[in-house]
Amino acid sequence: SNGQDERFTSTSHPTAIGQVMRNKYNNYFQEVVMVRKPEGMIVSFGDRHFSELGNFMQPEAPELFTIEMLEGSRAGLVDVNSVLLAESLAKKLFGNTSALGQTVTFNGQVAVAVTGVYKDFPRNSHFWQSTYLSSLDLYFDLNGADPNTWENYNMNVYARIMPSTTFELASNAIKYELRDHMSEEDAVRKEPELFLHPMNKWHLYSEFDNGISVTSQQLKFVWINSLIGLFVLLLAGINFVNLSTARSERRAKEIGVRKSLGSSRTQLFYQFMSESLLISMAGFTLAVGMLYLLLPWFNEVADKDLSIPIWNYQFWLLGIAFTLLIGLLAGSYPSFYLSAFKPVHSLKGTATARKNTITPRRILIGFQFTISITLIIGTLMIFQHIKHAQDRPIGYSQDGLVVLPKYFQVLYGRYEIFRSELKESGAVLEVAHSDYPLTNSRGNNNGFNWDGKDPAFDPHFNTVHVNHEYGKTIDWDIVTGRDFSRERGNDQESVVITESAQKIMNLDDPIGQQITYQTEEDGLLTFTVVGVVKDLVKDSPFQSTMPAILFLTDAELPWLFLRLNPDLAIDEALAKVGQVFKRLSPGTPFEFVFMDEEYQAKFRAELQIGQLATFFAILTILISCLGVFGLATYFAERRTKEIGVRRIMGATTFQLWSLLSKDFIVLVLCSCVVAVPLAWHFLNSWLAGYEYRTAMQWWDFAIAILITLCVTLCTVSYQTIKAAMTNPADTLRFE
């Protein structure tokens, strides 16, 4: 596409491909079904009307997907005018009465018989939003679509391969099938290839870049959380090792007495290892309880529906095995270290305080600080990246902009009445409609020509059909030229383009330029550019915008846009809109979406990562501080006599505080030397996946270092100041 060797990967296919795979390749495929992507329908029974999402599919699909039926059978879609309802929708429509054999209507126009009720799909299902399943032939009838076309890419195709073949052979067999059903010119230019994508890769391996499978956001999410979780465990293990060895002086005499009474090193090793394992198991028990309490919060933040698999023995076996492994790893060093004390040295009080035990502790503390600083830098960068995208100009105004779907033909033919009554109510300033919402770039086409275009260059444009008031309603920014106008009778032959479209067309003076487009229905059409508007950010706010061409039409379009009157309270304005809506379409649920909320939903994945990164960063800092606090206490206790002597010699509290704190400050600064390049490397790789991204600034790293220093100093200050202010007489009275 776009005149470059650039591949686009999609699951949408022409409707004819399913029939060809069934007939031509029946030695490779046991079953082949086509499913239309989720469609919004108003499902009604009596005076109950609900707008629902569902799928139109071929009759064999419920059997292929092994849908769990509660009433009826999976063969319920054989008849064209039939429907299977989800359990939740059946209860909304019929209460406790059996739904089987009942008749419901789609969009107040088409009556369909309920031939089955299935159990709601779980959240992790491919069809979790579907509350109804109906016949694909009914979809063709409702839309006047050709089930054997090779032009309209609007179907998903699912297949089960024959046991006698292999996945690779079946995928290679259909590889070039599309080329046989398009013009020779398009086949050479586009070089389309079909391939099978296995079901066990749908969730985590369905993102492609230039035709190559890349790491998906979902998989990155799994990796990030798993990695952070391992780091948290590692930090906790480091704390256990540090504090166990640091408190060894208090246990030296105990070890000396035990060895004097006949305890072997092996017995002591098992004692200390048992303590470690008990602490680890106690931690696992507390963790399960905390998981129970925190899981609702995690599900809300991560937009998941996870639960604790209480009756799954594998969960408990893996959890206990992992807990024992952590206990063994964390307790191994203290067990070897403490059990090696010699009784004579232990009872004399000279078993510890060797310098070679201090260095490993400092290395481990430095590692803790490195992880903490890296996570803080990462958290700051994630939110800065999100803020950078949120502040991005989007080409229109979201304030007070509301969108309503028309649901096929239910509201068609009433646009002018709607517009007139809504404006008379004073609730809205302007009304418009288009064939696509503002939050996606569906409707991509190529085959456009203009003066000076290279014949080999055939870019894709986001093509959107709108009415005259569209620009005024969304309040787009006109760069040059004019908007569509009702006063101009020939504006049907006009188009408005975006800045990126002007750039890709390489038009210095676009106003008045003619664009031609060849269609099967109308032949060669010619349009004149009358205006250029700023790019409309419709897809991901982290990616570049697609060049767009906006066409004027008088046809009915499926998406209504309302610009609410800012002089009225939102609730008051929506109440008036609802009254008009109910009066003109009483059988249609009044549903709307605020454009700013719809747009903010595009940041959900990044915000999830940011919120969880913040939580884990705070957790790692807390764990590190606990370790630092324990070691600060240990170091202060070991140097009490030294502090007493220094106080007698005239040292001030600040000087003693500096003396005891400098080691930790040096550790933080040394950790920064490792953490900063480490964070830069990983963040640079992460940001490279976004076309529209923020730049890393030096102050992000400085803030993280400052936060770590402040938290560390606050943690150690309590013990160091307490030690520095101790009366020398109390520490030296027995010398």
Side-chain angles (χ1 to χ4, degrees), residues 709-722:
L709 277 173
C710 290
V711 172
T712 303
L713 289 176
C714 290
T715 303
V716 302
S717 290
Y718 172 77
Q719 285 298 337
T720 54
I721 293 175
K722 178 183 175 183

Side-chain angles (χ1 to χ4, degrees), residues 479-528:
V479 178
T480 184
R482 63 174 178 84
D483 201 345
F484 295 120
S485 173
R486 285 184 179 268
E487 282 69 39
R488 295 175 181 265
N490 62 345
D491 250 11
Q492 296 288 345
E493 301 172 358
S494 302
V495 292
V496 171
I497 65 175
T498 59
E499 284 184 305
S500 57
Q502 177 189 353
K503 183 178 180 181
I504 204 171
M505 292 179 181
N506 196 24
L507 299 176
D508 295 329
D509 186 13
I511 306 303
Q513 291 281 349
Q514 290 191 331
I515 299 175
T516 60
Y517 181 50
Q518 185 76 34
T519 65
E520 290 186 0
E521 299 83 5
D522 303 314
L524 185 65
L525 300 176
T526 302
F527 302 93
T528 302

Side-chain angles (χ1 to χ4, degrees), residues 436-451:
Y436 294 114
L438 264 171
T439 50
N440 66 54
S441 57
R442 288 161 52 192
N444 298 313
N445 292 283
N446 60 339
F448 294 93
N449 288 287
W450 57 89
D451 289 341

Side-chain angles (χ1 to χ4, degrees), residues 44-64:
S44 304
F45 177 75
D47 59 351
R48 299 176 183 179
H49 312 279
F50 303 99
S51 60
E52 302 289 336
L53 280 177
N55 293 92
F56 291 89
M57 55 180 58
Q58 291 183 304
E60 301 85 359
E63 184 65 39
L64 176 65

Side-chain angles (χ1 to χ4, degrees), residues 134-366:
S134 193
S135 168
L136 186 61
D137 288 334
L138 178 60
Y139 170 80
F140 292 140
D141 292 343
L142 288 174
N143 293 274
D146 181 3
N148 295 307
T149 182
W150 289 94
E151 303 298 327
N152 194 359
Y153 287 67
N154 63 351
M155 289 291 158
N156 285 346
V157 183
Y158 302 90
R160 188 197 302 276
I161 64 171
M162 283 284 191
S164 57
T165 189
T166 65
F167 185 87
E168 290 74 18
L169 286 175
S171 188
N172 289 330
I174 64 173
K175 187 173 183 178
Y176 301 114
E177 181 62 34
L178 285 178
R179 301 186 189 186
D180 297 334
H181 302 278
M182 59 175 56
S183 67
E184 185 177 348
E185 179 186 352
D186 281 348
V188 172
R189 178 169 51 84
K190 296 182 179 180
E191 297 181 348
E193 295 178 2
L194 289 173
F195 67 95
L196 301 179
H197 194 50
M199 188 177 73
N200 60 7
K201 290 188 176 181
W202 288 358
H203 181 59
L204 296 178
Y205 302 93
S206 288
E207 288 188 22
F208 297 84
D209 182 19
N210 200 20
I212 305 298
S213 178
V214 296
T215 305
S216 66
Q217 289 296 325
Q218 292 94 331
L219 189 55
K220 288 179 183 177
F221 193 75
V222 172
W223 285 353
I224 289 171
N225 284 310
S226 300
L227 191 62
I228 293 176
L230 287 173
F231 276 136
V232 170
L233 278 175
L234 186 58
L235 296 183
I238 289 172
N239 268 1
F240 183 82
V241 172
N242 271 339
L243 295 178
S244 295
T245 55
R247 308 302 285 181
S248 59
E249 284 188 357
R250 293 197 173 186
R251 305 199 68 175
K253 291 183 180 179
E254 173 197 345
I255 295 167
V257 171
R258 286 181 178 275
K259 283 198 169 185
S260 299
L261 294 174
S263 294
S264 66
R265 182 177 180 181
T266 303
Q267 290 175 316
L268 291 171
F269 174 85
Y270 285 133
Q271 175 195 340
F272 299 129
M273 186 60 76
S274 299
E275 291 176 3
S276 175
L277 290 173
L278 284 172
I279 292 172
S280 184
M281 289 303 298
F284 176 72
T285 305
L286 288 172
V288 172
M290 291 180 68
L291 179 64
Y292 178 79
L293 296 174
L294 292 175
L295 197 56
W297 170 83
F298 179 84
N299 283 333
E300 182 179 350
V301 172
D303 194 26
K304 303 294 178 185
D305 191 21
L306 303 178
S307 59
I308 302 175
I310 296 176
W311 306 112
N312 187 334
Y313 74 94
Q314 292 179 329
F315 167 76
W316 295 107
L317 284 178
L318 287 173
I320 293 172
F322 192 72
T323 303
L324 292 175
L325 177 63
I326 293 296
L328 289 171
L329 292 175
S332 57
Y333 179 74
S335 298
F336 282 111
Y337 175 72
L338 295 177
S339 63
F341 286 175
K342 294 182 179 180
V344 175
H345 294 159
S346 299
L347 296 173
K348 277 177 144 187
T350 59
T352 58
R354 298 194 304 269
K355 283 191 175 181
N356 60 350
T357 64
I358 305 297
T359 301
R361 286 190 205 127
R362 287 177 174 167
I363 293 173
L364 293 175
I365 294 173

Side-chain angles (χ1 to χ4, degrees), residues 6 71 107 182 223 249 309 314 391 466-467 568-569 638 728:
E6 189 174 308
E71 291 186 85
N107 292 339
M182 59 175 56
W223 285 353
E249 284 188 357
Q314 292 179 329
D391 293 340
V466 301
N467 70 331
L568 296 179
R638 286 185 61 236

